[in-house]
mmCIF file of all heavy atoms in Angstrom:
data_model
loop_
_atom_site.group_PDB
_atom_site.id
_atom_site.type_symbol
_atom_site.label_atom_id
_atom_site.label_comp_id
_atom_site.label_asym_id
_atom_site.label_seq_id
_atom_site.Cartn_x
_atom_site.Cartn_y
_atom_site.Cartn_z
ATOM 1 N N LEU A 316 18.038 19.294 -8.926
ATOM 2 C CA LEU A 316 18.734 18.141 -8.407
ATOM 3 C C LEU A 316 20.215 18.466 -8.269
ATOM 4 O O LEU A 316 20.734 19.366 -8.914
ATOM 5 C CB LEU A 316 18.568 16.936 -9.344
ATOM 6 C CG LEU A 316 17.181 16.334 -9.497
ATOM 7 C CD1 LEU A 316 17.218 15.231 -10.529
ATOM 8 C CD2 LEU A 316 16.664 15.796 -8.176
ATOM 9 N N GLY A 317 20.889 17.700 -7.414
ATOM 10 C CA GLY A 317 22.327 17.781 -7.330
ATOM 11 C C GLY A 317 22.948 16.532 -7.926
ATOM 12 O O GLY A 317 22.307 15.772 -8.649
ATOM 13 N N GLY A 318 24.206 16.293 -7.578
ATOM 14 C CA GLY A 318 24.883 15.119 -8.097
ATOM 15 C C GLY A 318 24.579 13.852 -7.338
ATOM 16 O O GLY A 318 25.006 12.768 -7.749
ATOM 17 N N ASP A 319 23.855 13.923 -6.215
ATOM 18 C CA ASP A 319 23.507 12.729 -5.454
ATOM 19 C C ASP A 319 22.358 11.979 -6.136
ATOM 20 O O ASP A 319 21.503 12.578 -6.792
ATOM 21 C CB ASP A 319 23.084 13.109 -4.040
ATOM 22 C CG ASP A 319 24.237 13.659 -3.220
ATOM 23 O OD1 ASP A 319 25.347 13.756 -3.779
ATOM 24 O OD2 ASP A 319 24.028 14.003 -2.048
ATOM 25 N N PHE A 320 22.335 10.663 -5.952
ATOM 26 C CA PHE A 320 21.248 9.848 -6.518
ATOM 27 C C PHE A 320 21.007 8.652 -5.608
ATOM 28 O O PHE A 320 21.873 8.263 -4.799
ATOM 29 C CB PHE A 320 21.585 9.400 -7.932
ATOM 30 C CG PHE A 320 22.830 8.561 -8.052
ATOM 31 C CD1 PHE A 320 22.776 7.174 -8.026
ATOM 32 C CD2 PHE A 320 24.079 9.157 -8.184
ATOM 33 C CE1 PHE A 320 23.913 6.392 -8.124
ATOM 34 C CE2 PHE A 320 25.233 8.392 -8.294
ATOM 35 C CZ PHE A 320 25.155 7.009 -8.259
ATOM 36 N N TYR A 321 19.844 8.053 -5.715
ATOM 37 C CA TYR A 321 19.488 6.872 -4.914
ATOM 38 C C TYR A 321 18.396 6.096 -5.632
ATOM 39 O O TYR A 321 17.728 6.606 -6.530
ATOM 40 C CB TYR A 321 19.017 7.280 -3.509
ATOM 41 C CG TYR A 321 17.713 8.047 -3.499
ATOM 42 C CD1 TYR A 321 16.492 7.383 -3.471
ATOM 43 C CD2 TYR A 321 17.702 9.434 -3.509
ATOM 44 C CE1 TYR A 321 15.299 8.090 -3.459
ATOM 45 C CE2 TYR A 321 16.525 10.143 -3.498
ATOM 46 C CZ TYR A 321 15.317 9.456 -3.470
ATOM 47 O OH TYR A 321 14.134 10.151 -3.484
ATOM 48 N N ASP A 322 18.209 4.866 -5.213
ATOM 49 C CA ASP A 322 17.130 4.033 -5.769
ATOM 50 C C ASP A 322 17.002 2.789 -4.917
ATOM 51 O O ASP A 322 17.921 2.426 -4.160
ATOM 52 C CB ASP A 322 17.418 3.659 -7.221
ATOM 53 C CG ASP A 322 16.132 3.342 -8.001
ATOM 54 O OD1 ASP A 322 15.056 3.277 -7.359
ATOM 55 O OD2 ASP A 322 16.208 3.170 -9.218
ATOM 56 N N ALA A 323 15.863 2.122 -5.017
ATOM 57 C CA ALA A 323 15.628 0.860 -4.313
ATOM 58 C C ALA A 323 14.599 0.057 -5.090
ATOM 59 O O ALA A 323 13.542 0.596 -5.452
ATOM 60 C CB ALA A 323 15.152 1.112 -2.880
ATOM 61 N N VAL A 324 14.896 -1.220 -5.353
ATOM 62 C CA VAL A 324 13.966 -2.085 -6.084
ATOM 63 C C VAL A 324 13.977 -3.477 -5.461
ATOM 64 O O VAL A 324 14.937 -3.874 -4.782
ATOM 65 C CB VAL A 324 14.342 -2.197 -7.581
ATOM 66 C CG1 VAL A 324 14.266 -0.828 -8.261
ATOM 67 C CG2 VAL A 324 15.730 -2.798 -7.764
ATOM 68 N N ARG A 325 12.901 -4.211 -5.688
ATOM 69 C CA ARG A 325 12.802 -5.613 -5.255
ATOM 70 C C ARG A 325 12.620 -6.472 -6.493
ATOM 71 O O ARG A 325 11.747 -6.210 -7.326
ATOM 72 C CB ARG A 325 11.621 -5.788 -4.308
ATOM 73 C CG ARG A 325 11.387 -7.229 -3.841
ATOM 74 C CD ARG A 325 10.203 -7.288 -2.888
ATOM 75 N NE ARG A 325 9.958 -8.619 -2.383
ATOM 76 C CZ ARG A 325 9.141 -9.511 -2.952
ATOM 77 N NH1 ARG A 325 8.469 -9.168 -4.065
ATOM 78 N NH2 ARG A 325 8.984 -10.709 -2.422
ATOM 79 N N THR A 326 13.456 -7.472 -6.638
ATOM 80 C CA THR A 326 13.379 -8.357 -7.783
ATOM 81 C C THR A 326 12.448 -9.533 -7.493
ATOM 82 O O THR A 326 11.982 -9.713 -6.354
ATOM 83 C CB THR A 326 14.784 -8.860 -8.164
ATOM 84 O OG1 THR A 326 15.442 -9.378 -6.996
ATOM 85 C CG2 THR A 326 15.623 -7.724 -8.724
ATOM 86 N N ASP A 327 12.207 -10.344 -8.499
ATOM 87 C CA ASP A 327 11.212 -11.425 -8.379
ATOM 88 C C ASP A 327 11.588 -12.466 -7.326
ATOM 89 O O ASP A 327 10.706 -13.139 -6.770
ATOM 90 C CB ASP A 327 11.031 -12.110 -9.729
ATOM 91 C CG ASP A 327 10.361 -11.197 -10.759
ATOM 92 O OD1 ASP A 327 9.683 -10.236 -10.324
ATOM 93 O OD2 ASP A 327 10.530 -11.427 -11.964
ATOM 94 N N ASP A 328 12.865 -12.643 -7.049
ATOM 95 C CA ASP A 328 13.264 -13.634 -6.054
ATOM 96 C C ASP A 328 13.152 -13.123 -4.622
ATOM 97 O O ASP A 328 13.547 -13.805 -3.678
ATOM 98 C CB ASP A 328 14.709 -14.094 -6.321
ATOM 99 C CG ASP A 328 15.715 -12.950 -6.252
ATOM 100 O OD1 ASP A 328 15.289 -11.797 -6.063
ATOM 101 O OD2 ASP A 328 16.926 -13.224 -6.399
ATOM 102 N N GLY A 329 12.645 -11.909 -4.438
ATOM 103 C CA GLY A 329 12.456 -11.338 -3.112
ATOM 104 C C GLY A 329 13.639 -10.546 -2.602
ATOM 105 O O GLY A 329 13.570 -9.982 -1.500
ATOM 106 N N THR A 330 14.713 -10.481 -3.380
ATOM 107 C CA THR A 330 15.881 -9.716 -2.946
ATOM 108 C C THR A 330 15.639 -8.220 -3.119
ATOM 109 O O THR A 330 15.112 -7.785 -4.145
ATOM 110 C CB THR A 330 17.121 -10.134 -3.757
ATOM 111 O OG1 THR A 330 17.331 -11.551 -3.605
ATOM 112 C CG2 THR A 330 18.358 -9.387 -3.281
ATOM 113 N N VAL A 331 16.033 -7.453 -2.119
ATOM 114 C CA VAL A 331 15.907 -6.007 -2.161
ATOM 115 C C VAL A 331 17.277 -5.415 -2.483
ATOM 116 O O VAL A 331 18.278 -5.744 -1.836
ATOM 117 C CB VAL A 331 15.384 -5.439 -0.826
ATOM 118 C CG1 VAL A 331 15.413 -3.920 -0.831
ATOM 119 C CG2 VAL A 331 13.960 -5.938 -0.583
ATOM 120 N N HIS A 332 17.328 -4.553 -3.495
ATOM 121 C CA HIS A 332 18.565 -3.898 -3.915
ATOM 122 C C HIS A 332 18.424 -2.400 -3.638
ATOM 123 O O HIS A 332 17.426 -1.784 -4.049
ATOM 124 C CB HIS A 332 18.831 -4.131 -5.400
ATOM 125 C CG HIS A 332 18.818 -5.576 -5.804
ATOM 126 N ND1 HIS A 332 19.958 -6.321 -5.965
ATOM 127 C CD2 HIS A 332 17.781 -6.418 -6.079
ATOM 128 C CE1 HIS A 332 19.649 -7.539 -6.324
ATOM 129 N NE2 HIS A 332 18.325 -7.630 -6.399
ATOM 130 N N VAL A 333 19.422 -1.824 -2.989
ATOM 131 C CA VAL A 333 19.391 -0.410 -2.623
ATOM 132 C C VAL A 333 20.719 0.211 -3.038
ATOM 133 O O VAL A 333 21.787 -0.403 -2.884
ATOM 134 C CB VAL A 333 19.180 -0.199 -1.108
ATOM 135 C CG1 VAL A 333 19.046 1.280 -0.772
ATOM 136 C CG2 VAL A 333 17.958 -0.977 -0.637
ATOM 137 N N VAL A 334 20.676 1.430 -3.552
ATOM 138 C CA VAL A 334 21.885 2.144 -3.941
ATOM 139 C C VAL A 334 21.755 3.605 -3.545
ATOM 140 O O VAL A 334 20.652 4.172 -3.541
ATOM 141 C CB VAL A 334 22.160 2.027 -5.465
ATOM 142 C CG1 VAL A 334 21.118 2.807 -6.265
ATOM 143 C CG2 VAL A 334 23.550 2.542 -5.819
ATOM 144 N N ILE A 335 22.870 4.197 -3.155
ATOM 145 C CA ILE A 335 22.947 5.636 -2.937
ATOM 146 C C ILE A 335 24.337 6.063 -3.414
ATOM 147 O O ILE A 335 25.323 5.348 -3.182
ATOM 148 C CB ILE A 335 22.715 6.015 -1.460
ATOM 149 C CG1 ILE A 335 22.618 7.547 -1.309
ATOM 150 C CG2 ILE A 335 23.789 5.468 -0.555
ATOM 151 C CD1 ILE A 335 22.106 7.983 0.064
ATOM 152 N N GLY A 336 24.409 7.175 -4.144
ATOM 153 C CA GLY A 336 25.676 7.588 -4.725
ATOM 154 C C GLY A 336 25.803 9.086 -4.811
ATOM 155 O O GLY A 336 24.871 9.833 -4.537
ATOM 156 N N ASP A 337 26.995 9.522 -5.222
ATOM 157 C CA ASP A 337 27.316 10.937 -5.250
ATOM 158 C C ASP A 337 28.299 11.195 -6.382
ATOM 159 O O ASP A 337 29.438 10.708 -6.346
ATOM 160 C CB ASP A 337 27.921 11.366 -3.905
ATOM 161 C CG ASP A 337 28.248 12.849 -3.836
ATOM 162 O OD1 ASP A 337 27.928 13.570 -4.792
ATOM 163 O OD2 ASP A 337 28.826 13.275 -2.811
ATOM 164 N N VAL A 338 27.863 11.955 -7.388
ATOM 165 C CA VAL A 338 28.751 12.387 -8.471
ATOM 166 C C VAL A 338 29.475 13.640 -8.014
ATOM 167 O O VAL A 338 28.849 14.560 -7.492
ATOM 168 C CB VAL A 338 27.956 12.660 -9.762
ATOM 169 C CG1 VAL A 338 28.878 13.159 -10.866
ATOM 170 C CG2 VAL A 338 27.229 11.408 -10.209
ATOM 171 N N CYS A 339 30.782 13.683 -8.182
ATOM 172 C CA CYS A 339 31.529 14.844 -7.720
ATOM 173 C C CYS A 339 31.098 16.081 -8.518
ATOM 174 O O CYS A 339 30.864 16.017 -9.718
ATOM 175 C CB CYS A 339 33.028 14.619 -7.848
ATOM 176 S SG CYS A 339 33.626 14.526 -9.543
ATOM 177 N N GLY A 340 31.004 17.207 -7.823
ATOM 178 C CA GLY A 340 30.563 18.442 -8.449
ATOM 179 C C GLY A 340 29.118 18.749 -8.105
ATOM 180 O O GLY A 340 28.411 17.931 -7.509
ATOM 181 N N HIS A 341 28.667 19.958 -8.484
ATOM 182 C CA HIS A 341 27.333 20.402 -8.098
ATOM 183 C C HIS A 341 26.552 21.025 -9.246
ATOM 184 O O HIS A 341 25.497 21.595 -9.012
ATOM 185 C CB HIS A 341 27.426 21.428 -6.960
ATOM 186 C CG HIS A 341 28.286 20.980 -5.817
ATOM 187 N ND1 HIS A 341 27.888 20.023 -4.909
ATOM 188 C CD2 HIS A 341 29.529 21.341 -5.455
ATOM 189 C CE1 HIS A 341 28.860 19.826 -4.025
ATOM 190 N NE2 HIS A 341 29.869 20.613 -4.338
ATOM 191 N N GLY A 342 27.037 20.966 -10.469
ATOM 192 C CA GLY A 342 26.375 21.642 -11.578
ATOM 193 C C GLY A 342 25.310 20.781 -12.234
ATOM 194 O O GLY A 342 25.077 19.628 -11.862
ATOM 195 N N PRO A 343 24.627 21.333 -13.238
ATOM 196 C CA PRO A 343 23.587 20.576 -13.945
ATOM 197 C C PRO A 343 24.142 19.354 -14.680
ATOM 198 O O PRO A 343 23.439 18.348 -14.813
ATOM 199 C CB PRO A 343 23.002 21.603 -14.918
ATOM 200 C CG PRO A 343 24.046 22.671 -15.050
ATOM 201 C CD PRO A 343 24.757 22.715 -13.749
ATOM 202 N N ASP A 344 25.394 19.414 -15.144
ATOM 203 C CA ASP A 344 25.984 18.238 -15.792
ATOM 204 C C ASP A 344 26.106 17.076 -14.812
ATOM 205 O O ASP A 344 25.830 15.920 -15.159
ATOM 206 C CB ASP A 344 27.356 18.585 -16.356
ATOM 207 C CG ASP A 344 27.280 19.544 -17.532
ATOM 208 O OD1 ASP A 344 26.228 19.572 -18.197
ATOM 209 O OD2 ASP A 344 28.258 20.279 -17.770
#
Side-chain angles (χ1 to χ4, degrees):
L316 293 176
D319 293 1
F320 60 94
Y321 66 86
D322 205 352
V324 298
R325 178 179 181 269
T326 50
D327 292 338
D328 61 356
T330 303
V331 173
H332 306 261
V333 184
V334 69
I335 188 168
D337 182 5
V338 178
C339 68
H341 310 286
D344 292 334

